[in-house]
Amino acid sequence: MEIFAEAGTTDGTVAHYVFGDGSGGVVIGEADEAGTGYRNILNYGEFVEYETKVLLSIDDAVPHIMDALAD
């Protein structure tokens, strides 16, 4: 808790959720690039194991999908 009080969250953090069984949690954030969030994760790496998933809106994803299908 001391480290969290010092480092906190990063800009763009939308919400934190904790699994009811104590097995983990989820942080939802929004950013134009992943570097800022990654830097914040480094503050907690000694204590927490992370899995990161980058999400795109459908509007952002469809042009890439169409481009891949055209190949």
Side-chain angles (χ1 to χ4, degrees):
M1 295 305 294
E2 183 179 321
I3 291 173
F4 184 76
E6 290 177 22
T9 63
T10 187
D11 290 341
T13 298
V14 175
H16 286 198
Y17 295 97
V18 178
F19 300 149
D21 64 1
S23 66
V26 175
V27 176
I28 298 174
E30 186 172 340
D32 291 333
E33 52 87 27
T36 303
Y38 176 69
R39 174 59 188 95
N40 189 258
I41 284 173
L42 294 175
N43 294 316
Y44 306 106
E46 176 181 352
F47 310 102
V48 181
E49 183 177 318
Y50 288 93
E51 179 179 340
T52 303
K53 304 253 183 202
V54 177
L55 305 174
L56 299 171
S57 70
I58 294 297
D59 289 340
D60 289 338
V62 165
H64 298 290
I65 294 168
M66 297 305 293
D67 181 55
L69 291 174
D71 287 343

